[in-house]
Amino acid sequence: MKKILLLLVSFMLVASLSACAAPQDDAPRKVTLKVFMTFPRFQEQFEDYFEQFKVKMLAEKNIDVTIDLEMPISDQADQILKARLSTNDAPDLFTLHAIADIPSYYEAGYLSDLSNQPFASELLENVKDIVTYDGKVVALPLESLAWGYLYNKDIFEKYSLTAPQTITEMNNVVKVLKDNGETPFLLAFQESWIPQLMTALAIGGVVTSEKPDFVDRMNAGTASYTEIAKIFDIIDIIMNNGTEKPFEVGNAAASADFAAGKAAMWVQGTWQAQAILDINPNINIGTAPLPVSENVNGSLINLSVSTSLALSPTSKNKDVALELLNFILDKEASSALFEELKFNPVAKFHDYEVFPWADEAMSYVALGRGYRDLSLPGAVTGEQAKLLQSYYAKTVTKAEFIATIDEVWANSLE
Amino acid sequence: MKMKAWISILVLFILVTYSLFSLSPIILAIINSGKTQGEILTNILAIPQNFKWSNYVVAFEKIKFTRSFFNTLLVVVIGCTGIVLFSSIAAYKLARVKSKLSNFYYGLFVFSMLIPFHSIMISLVRIANVTKIQGSLIGLGIIYIGLGVPMAIFLYTGFTRSIPVELDEAARIDGCSDLRLFFSIIFPQLKPITITIIITNALWMWNDFLLPLLMLPNSKNYTILLSTNILFGQYGNNDWPSILSVLIMAMLPVIVFYIILQKWILKGISEGALKQ
Amino acid sequence: MKEKNKSITLFILPALLFYAVFTLAPAFGGIWYSFTNFNGLNPNYEFIGLRNYEMLIKDKNFINSILFTLRFVGIMVILQNIIALILALLIETRTKTKTLFRTLVFMPNMLSMIIGGFMWMFIFTRALPYIANILNSEALNVSWIGDPKYSFIAIIIVSLWGGVGYLMIIYVAALQGVAKNLKEAAMIDGANTFQVFRNITLPAIMPAITIGIFVTLNNSFKVFDVVYSLTGGGPGRSTQVIALNIFEEAYSFNNRFGYASAKSMVLFLIVFVVTLIQLIIMRRKEVN
């Protein structure tokens, strides 16, 4: 036993010695940047892109940059980032969700003003708007989204259907599909964020077309969800004409089902289209805005920005960090990166080809049928997600739904 | 005790059934590790026509298996060594000396077994930061020592109590100092329970996810489970063939480790925890 | 006495050092946060005294999660120990296949429960319906994850799958320690198998049962991994255990870290009181 112990201890010693890195020989100004990004699936692409950056920095500015890239999956990324920020261990650059996180992170003082950076003036208008808070550009948008619901073009073509623009048209589409033995909607409620997309789109449509000051009034405590109760019109249609056992179906399973043509429509964003294509490369996917009423102008594409890159005000190497930030939207190199990541264009000079569904979504936006993603309190979207599950399971009524959300919204204001 | 034949068969039947139940998810994982993503999602029970061994190769490279294997090994070795060494020494005195102080210390150590991890998580990160041990594998091992000591002391104290005090007294008559007494007489007697403690703690550290995630920002330091991180895509789009392959590969060393040492586990538990 | 105390402290010092820095200190950190409105992000937070504790008494979701967890704990403690004990007894009757079965039963414990949970999720959502279709069985074809009645059963099944192995080993060890001659003497006196078990074996393994119940109580109250990967607490909040409630409070949309810490304290107190009671009651029953 003693022998084993001795062995273990000596192994420990050797290991700890080798873990101490030898100091590097001298080089031009050495800078280490800590970058925190929630794209583990793109680790290689970003590492390659950063290599280009390092070469450029060494050649042009004689700075030897080392980039420590941390890439957790977004499930835990939140916790980790918060733990780092609140213990003063902030990364130089980090990603956050533009719509959901910018307000609270700004208030906590973790974002820098980037309005005067070169990239800021190159941003597309509606994208720039979303990363602007308190009049300042506070983050560089990476993933911009234009989405509604997905539909199977082949099925639609088969029955000579076009994307419905009002509730009446939607009811017609549903009827035609059912008469022909097709299931209109794919329901995947195991992961609660997916049904929440329905409320996001429905609320967006109703509020933008009929009650534009709704969110402000809710934040002032002078409104109630009863005013937008009509969101349940479309939600009921979806829930009553969909696939069975939705609680057993998560995102991956649903993508497989949609790829196999098990339903004609799925309230899911364009970000999922690639995964569906991976399963069935022959499927033709389209995107359309979700109708909420008889008003065509309530049927809108959601425009938002999710993952964006921010600079920490406590960064010790701000100049180099800013160089990296601007390099992400470098006029020459950026298009190639964005195309490879299959992100939508965010800058005026992005000129690569996009997917057909992205084009389709933008065609609606060009007609004025787009709206900027609403900023609801995080607690509210989370609660909506859970309530929708309960609503489907019939353990919660519309009235209870409305009352609970009103309460949660009020609580979140404290 | 002789058993009637039909009872014996019944017992066998029950055991076999339960074993199948026990193994079913693992068997499923093995079957599906040889399919493509599409095949897995469409029919999970189908036996693949062509077992894609390439999944294992691809996964092996994707998560840099050899490197993460040794990373995990380092953490486990440091953690287990520290836990075994410090807990056994502490338990020796706690078991032998009956005083209010030793009872106090014992209670102090043991009560923390009840604390849920999430409550101490953020503060732990902060402390790791301040003591500058965050970010290194050695630091992670050190933290595991701090977390694992309570349970080990609980078990060691019990076992040490069952070692006859006469052994101590004999050694003292020979002029042994406390420390020498411990190492030459007591510690060898603790072999079975030590192995138990090593196995349970090694299993825990091998499969732990959240703590390494918080402590190891640099993917070069990732443990095996952590490196599967890269296979879990956004929005639940997970690379299941790779995940399952990694799962099986990560289990194999554990199973081998267990089979070799499993005789000792029973001896350890029977004489350790039960003689409180 | 002083000499003794000094030597005690000396010997426990290394362990105490690591323990104090990495377990005790964070625990106190958690206690501190429970009296603040820290949101996990903003370094400017305020001390708000007992307000978190006042809030949680009225928090319906929290109370429900406690009740749900109590149901879970009650069933788990009984089932897990009985099943583990039965398996241990059965395995002990085997001669050649003893080691094999022990290994097979212990296997789930060698996996990470998060991965195990995922596997079972696949089984419940994809494999079982498939089998149910083939066998045309209504009973199997229920919504295991979606229907709260059945998702509870699913969680129990997976928790047992992952927990029984460890307990079984404890019981096997205990059974092997029961003096053989006592049992043989009883049988010669004409006692049948059941009487031997009740009067000889059971009392002798009481210490193991105490430990088994202690471990099950402790782990069941804190259950997280299984529920997280199986149902995520859903649908809605129908399967939300305490640990999940706290986790969401702190890290998901709510960001009320201070409040979550207060809830953690409550969880700890509940576990502490319950296990204390259990240990006291069972220590009295143990045979020396």
Side-chain angles (χ1 to χ4, degrees), chain B residues 2 17 35 40 84 181 185 210 212 216 249 265:
Chain B
K2 276 185 65 179
T17 313
K35 297 188 196 163
I40 296 181
V84 162
L181 196 164
I185 310 261
L210 197 48
L216 301 172
M249 288 193 286
I265 297 186

Side-chain angles (χ1 to χ4, degrees), chain A residues 167-201:
Chain A
I167 294 263
T168 316
E169 288 179 27
M170 176 61 90
N171 277 327
N172 277 339
V173 167
V174 167
K175 183 169 184 315
V176 168
L177 289 168
K178 286 176 85 162
D179 287 344
N180 283 294
E182 307 273 4
T183 316
F185 287 101
L186 186 68
L187 300 183
F189 294 162
Q190 185 183 46
E191 298 170 36
S192 61
W193 62 276
I194 298 187
Q196 211 284 124
L197 297 175
M198 292 191 293
T199 32
L201 290 174

Side-chain angles (χ1 to χ4, degrees), chain B residues 92 95-96 98 160-172 181 185-186:
Chain B
Y92 169 58
R96 286 292 184 243
K98 312 232 186 294
T160 311
R161 287 203 182 123
S162 73
I163 299 179
V165 189
E166 293 81 40
L167 285 180
D168 286 40
E169 293 167 1
R172 266 191 232 283
L181 196 164
I185 310 261
I186 305 286

Side-chain angles (χ1 to χ4, degrees), chain C residues 76-272:
Chain C
M76 276 303 279
V77 169
I78 299 177
L79 279 185
Q80 192 159 341
N81 284 286
I82 292 184
I83 294 181
L85 187 54
I86 292 180
L87 283 175
L89 285 167
L90 294 181
I91 291 183
E92 277 302 288
T93 66
R94 304 282 95 202
T95 41
K96 287 184 239 162
T97 47
K98 212 188 276 206
T99 316
L100 175 67
F101 281 123
R102 269 201 320 244
T103 312
L104 291 180
V105 172
F106 190 65
M107 267 223 174
N109 289 63
M110 301 194 231
L111 271 183
S112 152
M113 273 307 264
I114 300 185
I115 305 274
F118 268 123
M119 288 292 103
W120 274 103
M121 204 256 293
F122 265 134
I123 295 183
F124 282 120
T125 57
R126 294 263 141 174
L128 278 189
Y130 186 75
I131 299 180
N133 267 331
I134 298 184
L135 300 178
N136 238 329
S137 150
E138 270 304 313
L140 281 183
N141 203 10
V142 294
S143 178
W144 287 101
I145 307 287
D147 189 336
K149 285 200 300 276
Y150 297 107
S151 53
F152 186 67
I153 300 181
I155 295 177
I156 299 264
I157 292 180
V158 181
S159 300
L160 287 174
W161 173 81
V164 159
Y166 184 64
L167 285 184
M168 176 225 33
I169 293 203
I170 295 184
Y171 286 132
V172 165
L175 288 173
Q176 289 184 341
V178 177
K180 246 188 160 163
N181 46 355
L182 276 183
K183 286 204 282 195
E184 281 166 5
M187 297 217 62
I188 293 177
D189 282 349
N192 67 24
T193 330
F194 284 123
Q195 287 170 322
V196 169
F197 180 72
R198 229 185 61 181
N199 297 322
I200 309 251
T201 319
L202 203 54
I205 60 171
M206 257 317 184
I209 298 187
T210 306
I211 293 185
I213 297 188
F214 172 77
V215 166
T216 321
L217 269 179
N218 193 15
N219 289 336
S220 309
F221 265 114
K222 297 193 283 187
V223 66
F224 180 80
D225 291 347
V226 173
V227 185
Y228 182 71
S229 39
L230 218 50
T231 64
R237 289 212 164 81
S238 50
T239 57
Q240 193 179 60
V241 292
I242 304 182
L244 259 182
N245 179 295
I246 295 179
F247 178 78
E248 267 184 19
E249 193 71 67
Y251 296 112
S252 294
F253 15 91
N254 285 349
N255 284 333
R256 291 192 290 186
F257 189 77
Y259 186 46
S261 299
K263 290 189 184 180
S264 284
M265 289 304 127
V266 171
L267 174 61
F268 167 69
L269 283 173
I270 295 180
V271 179
F272 185 67

Side-chain angles (χ1 to χ4, degrees), chain A residues 1-2 5 8-9 11-12 15-17 19 38-41 43 47 68-74 76 79-80 82-84 86-89 143 145 191 193 251-253 255-257 260 271-272 275 279 306-307, chain B residues 37-38 41-42 73-74 77-78 81-82 84-85 118 121-122 125-127 129 134 138 183-184 187-188 191 194-195 198 209-210 213-220 222 229-238 240:
Chain A
M1 199 59 208
K2 237 183 166 167
L5 215 55
L8 281 172
V9 173
F11 181 74
M12 254 173 77
S16 52
L17 281 178
T38 53
F39 297 123
R41 66 197 190 282
Q43 181 152 355
E47 279 175 352
D68 282 343
L69 187 52
E70 190 182 350
M71 282 215 166
I73 48 171
S74 29
Q76 273 89 17
Q79 299 173 45
I80 301 179
K82 286 182 185 155
R84 300 215 190 293
S86 63
T87 56
N88 257 327
D89 185 26
E143 280 190 278
L145 309 164
E191 298 170 36
W193 62 276
N251 199 16
S255 304
D257 288 346
W271 52 77
Q272 195 59 18
I279 300 178
S306 58
T307 324
Chain B
Q37 176 91 336
L41 291 174
T42 29
L73 199 62
L74 179 63
V77 164
I78 293 181
T81 313
V84 162
L85 217 57
H118 283 292
M121 208 173 82
I122 280 207
V125 173
R126 186 175 227 137
I127 292 181
N129 207 359
Q134 187 188 28
I138 299 180
F183 273 112
S184 39
F187 196 68
K191 213 190 313 194
T194 298
I195 301 220
I198 292 182
F209 186 70
L210 197 48
L213 191 61
L214 285 169
M215 294 295 158
L216 301 172
N218 194 335
S219 64
K220 288 205 198 64
Y222 272 3
N229 193 14
I230 200 179
L231 304 169
F232 282 87
Q234 211 181 14
Y235 306 127
N237 294 319
N238 308 326
W240 285 110

